[in-house]
């Protein structure tokens, strides 16, 4: 089992930056692909970013490409999501997930965190 705990969310003004962290415990994440998803009120959960097991391949939703960066530090058993130039439409609960393959489908991921709220004011 992998336990995932997100942190770093909060209230930020449009155009600002946040860095989300996802700390894993129970197992090392070096054997897992990692992803970030988000869910806004009244909307379905959507893909944000993913990173392969090796860290050499990343994927991004079109809505965040060029603004967000996913990275991993296997030594710290942690995955990050650097969010720059945030927009009000980025407001959502952001979730970290671990699975066997990196990709944009939530079914690829076996373990999920509880989420961290990101609120962007205009």
């Amino acid at each position: 089992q992998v336990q995932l705990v997100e942190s770093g969310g909060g209230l930020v003004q449009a155009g600002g930056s946040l860095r989300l962290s996802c700390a894993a415990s129970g197992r090392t994440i070096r054997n897992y692909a990692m992803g970030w998803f988000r869910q806004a009120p009244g909307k379905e959960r959507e893909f944000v970013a993913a990173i392969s097991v090796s860290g050499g391949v990343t994927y991004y939703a079109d809505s965040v490409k060029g603004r967000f960066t996913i990275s991993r530090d296997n030594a710290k058993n942690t995955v990050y999501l650097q969010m720059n130039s945030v927009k009000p439409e980025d407001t959502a609960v952001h979730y970290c997930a671990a699975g066997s393959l990196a990709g944009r489908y939530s079914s690829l991921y076996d373990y999920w965190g509880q989420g961290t709220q990101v609120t962007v004011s205009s």
Side-chain angles (χ1 to χ4, degrees):
Q1 291 281 354
V2 178
Q3 290 80 44
L4 303 171
V5 178
E6 302 92 338
S7 62
L11 176 64
V12 61
Q13 286 191 328
S17 297
L18 276 177
R19 189 176 80 154
L20 305 185
S21 298
C22 171
S25 61
R27 288 183 180 176
T28 175
I29 64 168
R30 65 178 68 250
N31 298 320
Y32 292 93
M34 304 296 295
W36 285 95
F37 290 74
R38 66 188 183 188
Q39 188 167 18
K43 294 187 177 181
E44 293 187 354
R45 188 174 297 187
E46 65 174 5
F47 169 74
V48 176
I51 188 166
S52 64
V53 173
S54 69
V57 181
T58 56
Y59 304 92
Y60 295 95
D62 288 343
S63 58
V64 308
K65 201 172 295 182
R67 299 189 298 121
F68 292 9
T69 302
I70 187 171
S71 61
R72 63 191 300 157
D73 185 337
N74 289 342
K76 295 184 178 180
N77 228 25
T78 301
V79 176
Y80 304 97
L81 184 68
Q82 178 67 43
M83 306 170 65
N84 297 331
S85 302
V86 296
K87 303 175 180 180
E89 50 263 44
D90 294 322
T91 295
V93 178
H94 285 65
Y95 299 90
C96 172
S100 56
L101 282 175
R104 60 185 64 244
Y105 301 106
S106 58
S107 58
L108 293 172
Y109 302 90
D110 301 308
Y111 304 102
W112 294 80
Q114 294 299 306
T116 184
Q117 175 70 46
V118 172
T119 302
V120 182
S121 63
S122 56

